[in-house]
Amino acid sequence: MSLGYREKLLKGRRAMAHLIHLWHERNAWSHRVLPLLSEILDLGRVHNSQISNLRNGKLSSPGPEVFLALAQVNTILDQGIDSIRDQLEENHPELWRSLEDSALPLKNDSGKPLSAGELFEIFSGLKPLPSSFDWYIEDHEASTLSDALSDHFCQNRPWRYCKVVVMEAYTSSKPLRRERFAEVIAGIKDYTAEELDGELLDLYETSKKLSYFSEGGPNAFLMHLRDIAFQKKRVLKNEK
């Protein structure tokens, strides 16, 4: 049975919230980055509150200027930030440092930057998320998935025996993310659902680098982790 238009809109709003959330998480951006970029480069106006509400699924009817501004920023990021260095480095050093650290664009399944039309179609529920963003991790899963990650990367070995190999393979160079990753794989702390959403692509790439998992994309990797968590839960239940 096909979805009615209200269900499509609700699904689309959640998809857009997920997309904006992952865009920020992957780049470790604050909500100020996109509005500042669009204003400084004269690409359209999008406010901090609009970004925040989009990310939280609370912006029900953004105007076309929001999609246009986001798409134009996305295109510039895809072209490379060197083209905007002169406009930012001296007058907006903090913003420039944020982009130097990470400025990943949103891309469709053809590897091209998402356009204003594609962003609107996603928001309206007319188009699915690109496959590299098409997953949802719920709050209640975070702890068991963190545990599954530890099992997956340690391959049933103590952390001290696999630490060097795993940390060398981990794809992010950011100190805070590396520290958090090490804590999770060592079993000291858990990722939150939001952190896992933002980390999943790097976790998948790290697993591929180690030749632990390469059968599909990040969504397939997530299903693999869920299977590890399910099997572990079943074993523990049978032992009681």
Side-chain angles (χ1 to χ4, degrees), residues 36 42 61 103-104 110 112 120 168 175 177 199 214 236:
L36 270 175
D42 195 27
S61 54
L104 300 171
S110 299
K112 296 180 180 179
F120 174 74
E168 284 179 352
R177 286 182 62 188
E199 283 281 339
S214 57
L236 291 173

Side-chain angles (χ1 to χ4, degrees), residues 41 59 119 129 131 158 197-198:
L41 302 178
L59 192 61
L119 290 171
L129 286 165
S131 58
D197 268 335

Side-chain angles (χ1 to χ4, degrees), residues 170-181:
Y170 181 54
T171 54
S172 176
S173 60
K174 295 181 179 179
L176 288 177
R177 286 182 62 188
R178 293 184 67 82
E179 180 182 345
R180 186 70 165 151
F181 173 73

Side-chain angles (χ1 to χ4, degrees), residues 113-126:
L114 289 175
S115 66
E118 287 174 309
L119 290 171
F120 174 74
E121 287 180 316
I122 291 169
F123 179 82
S124 303
L126 299 173

